[in-house]
Amino acid sequence: MRPIQLFDPDSSTYTYVLFDVDTRDALIIDPVDEQLDRDLAVLKEYGLRLVWAVETHAHADHITSAGKLAEHAGARTAAPAACGITTASRQLHDGDELVFGGQKIRALATPGHTAGSMCFTWEADGQRHVFTGDTLLINGCGRTDFQSGSPEAMYHSLTEVLFKLPDDTIVWPGHDYQGRTHSTIGHEKRHNARVAGKTLDEFVALMNSLNLPKPKRIDEAVPANLTSGL
Ligand code: FE2
C-alpha cells in the first residue's frame, strides 16, 4: 500500500492522502487551499472518510486547506505544537500518533526549516514511509534562513533523526521542483548534495550562503496558516 501523492503546480507542493483499505478512514498531509475541490474529489473517488488534516509546519509558500477540509469533510486538524497553529484541534509533540482506522502515523520532531517542523512515519504492509515536509527534500533540504529556521537544528534533524531510520524507508518530500516523486533514506544519506558527507560546520556554511529570494506569498501565507487557512 502506498500513499496517494498529489501535486500543486503553483507551489510545487506534494500533498499526501493515506488510508486504511478496510475501514476507508483517511488522513491528509499538507493540503493546499487551491486544491480543495481536487482533494474532495479524490476522497469521493476512493470512498474515503477524512479523519485528520495534518500539517508538517506553518508553510510560507502556500495556504493550507486544513480548516476547510475540517468544515467540508468532517476531519479534525492536527499540527506540530511548536508551530503556533492555534486552531489545530490536536497539538502534536514528538512521538505522538494519529490513528485512522487500523493505521497510524507517528510524529517526529525535526526542527530546522522552522522550529516546529515535524516529519511523520507510517508503516503499512511491512513498508516504512516517512513524510518529510520541508525538512528533507530529494537531494536537498528546506531553507533555514527565516521563520525560526536554524541550520544547526536542521543538520541534527537530518543526520540524527531522519538518517537513523532504516535505509529502505521511502522518503515522500513536501516539495520537488524537478518532477521527482520519492526517494529512500539510504539514498539521501549517501547522495544528498546538501548534507551527505558534510560536517556540521560545512553544512552551516553552505546553508548560510544560499541567498534565496523571499517566498512570494510569505506575508499572506504564514498568518493564514496559523489559523488553518481560515
Ligand atoms: Fe516550508
Side-chain angles (χ1 to χ4, degrees):
M1 191 171 29
R2 291 220 164 183
I4 302 169
Q5 185 180 44
L6 302 160
F7 188 65
D8 174 58
D10 282 347
S11 62
S12 297
T13 298
Y14 282 126
T15 294
Y16 298 95
V17 174
L18 286 51
F19 62 96
D20 180 314
V21 288
D22 299 319
T23 68
R24 314 310 283 180
D25 288 313
L27 173 152
I28 195 166
I29 298 174
D30 287 342
V32 174
D33 191 40
E34 285 82 358
Q35 301 294 346
L36 176 67
D37 291 342
R38 176 204 65 189
D39 296 346
L40 291 171
V42 167
L43 295 171
K44 197 169 167 197
E45 178 192 340
Y46 283 81
L48 304 178
R49 187 171 67 93
L50 192 65
V51 179
W52 290 109
V54 190
E55 307 292 347
T56 54
H57 63 294
H59 306 277
D61 59 347
H62 68 268
I63 295 175
T64 179
S65 67
K68 288 181 183 159
L69 283 167
E71 283 177 2
H72 287 76
R76 291 179 69 202
T77 50
C83 284
I85 302 171
T86 51
T87 46
S89 65
R90 179 84 183 269
Q91 297 287 329
L92 296 169
H93 298 273
D94 188 48
D96 281 355
E97 293 179 343
L98 290 174
V99 174
F100 51 109
Q103 301 287 321
K104 65 186 177 199
I105 61 168
R106 186 181 174 89
L108 283 180
T110 52
H113 174 60
T114 71
S117 288
M118 282 184 158
C119 298
F120 298 100
T121 56
W122 179 44
E123 208 169 319
D125 299 334
Q127 174 66 56
R128 195 185 301 256
H129 306 264
V130 63
F131 301 88
T132 54
D134 292 1
T135 302
L136 176 62
L137 302 175
I138 298 173
N139 201 30
C141 66
R143 64 194 293 174
T144 56
D145 57 336
F146 63 76
Q147 252 197 312
S148 68
S150 157
E152 290 84 1
M154 176 65 92
Y155 186 83
H156 182 268
S157 292
L158 292 172
T159 61
E160 298 297 323
V161 181
L162 292 174
F163 289 171
K164 294 284 154 80
L165 296 172
D167 276 3
D168 62 355
T169 304
I170 302 177
V171 172
W172 299 97
H175 296 283
D176 196 83
Y177 304 94
Q178 295 174 39
R180 296 165 297 191
T181 56
H182 60 284
S183 181
T184 64
I185 288 293
H187 185 85
E188 295 307 318
K189 210 189 313 190
R190 282 187 285 278
H191 301 294
N192 189 293
R194 286 267 173 90
V195 66
K198 292 216 163 49
T199 64
L200 170 63
D201 287 348
E202 288 167 344
F203 179 78
V204 170
L206 174 63
M207 294 306 290
N208 286 339
S209 69
L210 292 177
N211 285 322
L212 297 167
K214 188 174 153 180
K216 284 193 291 273
R217 301 185 67 191
I218 186 169
D219 295 330
E220 159 204 25
V222 172
N225 286 328
L226 294 180
T227 55
S228 303
L230 293 177

